[in-house]
Amino acid sequence: MNAREQILQRIGTALGRAETGATQTVADQPAAVTERLQGARRSTLPKVGDDLVETAIANMESVLMSVVRLQTQDNCVDAVQDYLASQGIDGAATGAVTVAPALSSIAWPSSYRCGPATGEEQVSITPCLAAVAETGSVVTASGPQTPAGLNFLPETHITVLYESQIVQYVDDIFSFIREFDTLPRAINLVTGPSRTADIEQTLEIGAHGPRRMHVLLIAGEPA
């Protein structure tokens, strides 16, 4: 028995789970793991308005995210171009905008690049897994179709969200993710542009992430 096994055995004994054989993994005891996950009690939850969409929008705007409501995915291109123009960003410049591969089916302008972040783009456009009405957070997952760098490297992050993806509480996200066949390597909950007030209590936007976050909120649910 090596040092690691000895430590685990002592912990197991202290917890009343004396070692009876080889160390068990989650795969060895799926029923026990499932029972524990399903039986987990929730902490006290705050009151969230009945209209999740309006609550989410209000909380997003309270953390300096801007939101525009659209009827269909087809409206995304015009909405992005209008937003970039309002911010003085030349989206037609080569390499200025990078789109996540998951959104490549949309007819973006030819100047927009599709792929992972290069660190040179000014703007990224990504999908998201969900949004949380309670906090106004946007939930993203890493993967080949949704490169995580696009959420953090550009100064302007635009995300595509459908109304059906809005959940009440942060807790709801974990139940949702457990239903995936394959878990993403990373899940990020992003609540507004990056900021800090560490130095002299002066608020600095874009300290370690985007300076601007813009949400394209589409009616209905994704295809």
Side-chain angles (χ1 to χ4, degrees), residues 155-205:
E155 288 205 337
T156 300
H157 179 201
I158 300 174
T159 189
V160 176
L161 169 68
Y162 286 82
E163 291 181 356
S164 63
Q165 294 178 301
I166 300 174
V167 300
Q168 275 189 301
Y169 301 109
V170 173
D171 305 50
D172 296 325
I173 295 299
F174 301 108
S175 300
F176 170 63
I177 292 171
R178 290 188 189 113
E179 296 178 2
F180 291 3
D181 292 331
T182 303
L183 292 178
R185 185 172 184 179
I187 297 288
N188 296 290
L189 279 74
V190 183
T191 312
S194 169
R195 74 200 72 187
T196 183
D198 290 345
I199 301 175
E200 297 183 351
Q201 298 300 297
T202 300
L203 182 63
E204 176 66 26
I205 302 295

Side-chain angles (χ1 to χ4, degrees), residues 13-87:
T13 300
L15 294 173
R17 305 169 187 166
E19 185 71 30
T20 57
T23 302
Q24 288 186 314
T25 66
V26 171
D28 295 326
Q29 43 186 343
V33 172
T34 300
E35 181 181 354
R36 180 167 183 175
L37 290 175
Q38 292 179 344
R41 294 183 179 179
R42 283 192 169 192
S43 303
T44 301
L45 298 171
K47 180 176 177 55
V48 172
D50 294 332
D51 190 330
L52 294 187
V53 174
E54 292 299 332
T55 301
I57 291 174
N59 286 332
M60 287 176 179
E61 292 177 341
S62 73
V63 293
L64 307 183
M65 298 166 75
S66 55
V67 183
V68 62
R69 302 185 72 169
L70 308 176
Q71 288 302 308
T72 70
Q73 180 178 276
D74 296 336
N75 303 131
C76 286
V77 175
D78 288 340
V80 168
Q81 292 179 322
D82 288 346
Y83 176 72
L84 296 184
S86 72
Q87 299 300 315

Side-chain angles (χ1 to χ4, degrees), residues 94-143:
T94 302
V97 180
T98 297
V99 180
L103 297 176
S104 61
S105 62
I106 298 176
W108 300 107
S110 59
S111 60
Y112 290 14
R113 174 181 165 275
C114 182
T118 64
E120 300 297 326
E121 57 271 293
Q122 300 177 56
V123 181
S124 64
I125 306 174
T126 73
C128 63
L129 288 180
V132 183
E134 173 192 1
T135 59
S137 305
V138 170
V139 184
T140 64
S142 62

